[in-house]
Amino acid sequence: PAPSRMQYRLQRLWLTPLVRTLLRLGLPVLLIALMAGAYLASEDRRAALGTQLAEWRRAVQHRPEFMVTLVAINGASPRVAEDVRAALALTLPVSSFDLDLPEARTRVETVQGVAQASLRIAQGVLQVDVTERTPVAVWRTDAGLTLVDATGHSVAGLVHRTDRPDLPLIAGEGADADVPQALAILAAAQPIAPRIRGLVRVGLRRWDLVLNRAQRIQLPERGAVRALERLIALDQAQNLLARDILTVDLRNEHRPTLRLAPTALNEFRRSRGIDTEASEL
């Protein structure tokens, strides 16, 4: 006998791929979801399940292969390495899952003598690769002496100037803000380097080059290197700085000014027939 109309429609429906998928997969998933919902309806059961999952997670994270037991600092001097360890403030052993490497690197780079740092974990060791700041000058302030790098960033404190005689001396408020220009001026002053005592920042805008014998070269705010090079060329031609001069004022490019020492000034006046005793009165 032929199937009834209902049976025929059910058979055609069963042959539809979507219906067969829903019945084979959707129905079991729905039953499982209903059972899980019924189980989690109780607050006590939810709390117990959360506690169990936390214990499983903790057990995995604290397996020996995930534990950090040592910190190795590379590229740092002993003093900087000690400061880096203090900045990390780690209590070992610690799980690698509990370490925030970007945040730890930020803490390391706040150390005074650190320019850059990179952190990685390998075989239970936290590797900290440090690039130290290189001091290029000694900055004298009212608070004392400080080593600064080429960007003007403080590197470390200094007790005595004689501890770093190889570095030039800069002084004055804001001197650390223009270290590159100071280095350029000192490089241009190499022909008279043995006579240089330091650079003084004046008015947060320009430099004075201080020499021995109490001589001072007042440099302009702009074109300081060019003005100093012209002066050195003049000194090499006429031995200007060897004379009894206190100050060479180069602030006005079109009218350099010399300030003579009292003895030289008196000699100059005598050569011009000026009575120095009367002028002093």
Side-chain angles (χ1 to χ4, degrees):
S4 65
R5 182 175 297 180
M6 182 61 68
Q7 290 177 338
Y8 173 76
R9 289 181 178 177
L10 290 176
Q11 289 176 359
R12 294 292 297 177
L13 189 61
W14 175 250
L15 294 175
T16 303
L18 178 60
V19 174
R20 297 179 66 176
T21 301
L22 289 176
L23 291 176
R24 288 181 177 180
L25 297 178
L27 187 59
V29 169
L30 179 61
L31 293 175
I32 293 173
L34 291 174
M35 294 173 62
Y39 178 82
L40 296 176
S42 172
E43 184 177 353
D44 294 337
R45 285 197 290 265
R46 290 198 303 271
L49 181 60
T51 302
Q52 185 63 41
L53 291 175
E55 291 179 356
W56 289 343
R57 178 182 177 183
R58 180 178 178 81
V60 172
Q61 291 181 350
H62 286 77
R63 290 178 62 86
E65 58 266 28
F66 298 134
M67 298 299 291
V68 175
T69 58
L70 183 66
V71 176
I73 301 175
N74 303 319
S77 62
R79 181 189 59 80
V80 174
E82 183 179 351
D83 293 340
V84 169
R85 293 182 186 276
L88 288 173
L90 294 179
T91 302
L92 301 178
V94 62
S95 174
S96 58
F97 291 95
D98 295 333
L99 289 177
D100 186 350
L101 293 185
E103 191 271 338
R105 186 183 70 175
T106 301
R107 291 204 307 269
V108 171
E109 291 181 345
T110 59
V111 175
Q112 191 177 38
V114 175
Q116 189 176 2
S118 62
L119 285 74
R120 67 182 187 276
I121 298 174
Q123 298 179 353
V125 179
L126 176 60
Q127 298 280 351
V128 183
D129 297 323
V130 172
T131 301
E132 286 197 42
R133 296 185 182 275
T134 303
V136 297
V138 178
W139 179 31
R140 183 188 296 278
T141 63
D142 294 338
L145 300 174
T146 305
L147 296 174
V148 294
D149 65 2
T151 65
H153 194 283
S154 176
V155 176
L158 192 66
V159 179
H160 302 291
R161 172 71 177 102
T162 54
D163 293 339
R164 291 304 302 265
D166 56 311
L167 298 179
L169 179 68
I170 61 176
E173 183 182 358
D176 59 326
D178 204 2
V179 173
Q181 187 184 32
L183 297 178
I185 293 172
L186 292 171
Q190 280 303 305
I192 57 172
R195 297 196 54 198
I196 295 176
R197 292 296 176 263
L199 277 170
V200 178
R201 190 69 170 170
V202 180
L204 298 175
R205 57 187 179 85
R206 65 173 195 85
W207 294 96
D208 279 359
L209 182 63
V210 180
L211 308 180
N212 59 358
R213 295 171 41 211
Q215 285 186 337
R216 182 179 290 251
I217 301 173
Q218 297 178 330
L219 298 172
E221 182 178 355
R222 295 182 177 86
V225 173
R226 185 173 64 254
L228 181 60
E229 289 174 345
R230 289 198 299 266
L231 175 64
I232 291 177
L234 181 63
D235 175 65
Q236 292 174 341
Q238 301 183 10
N239 205 19
L240 177 66
L241 296 177
R243 302 181 185 183
D244 201 2
I245 297 174
L246 293 180
T247 304
V248 181
D249 189 349
L250 302 177
R251 291 175 292 178
N252 188 337
E253 180 181 359
H254 304 289
R255 191 178 65 181
T257 305
L258 301 179
R259 180 187 174 194
L260 301 178
T263 304
L265 182 60
N266 289 335
E267 291 295 332
F268 175 77
R269 287 174 174 173
R270 289 193 189 98
S271 66
R272 294 301 179 96
I274 302 175
D275 189 355
T276 57
E277 294 183 359
S279 61
E280 289 177 358
L281 294 175

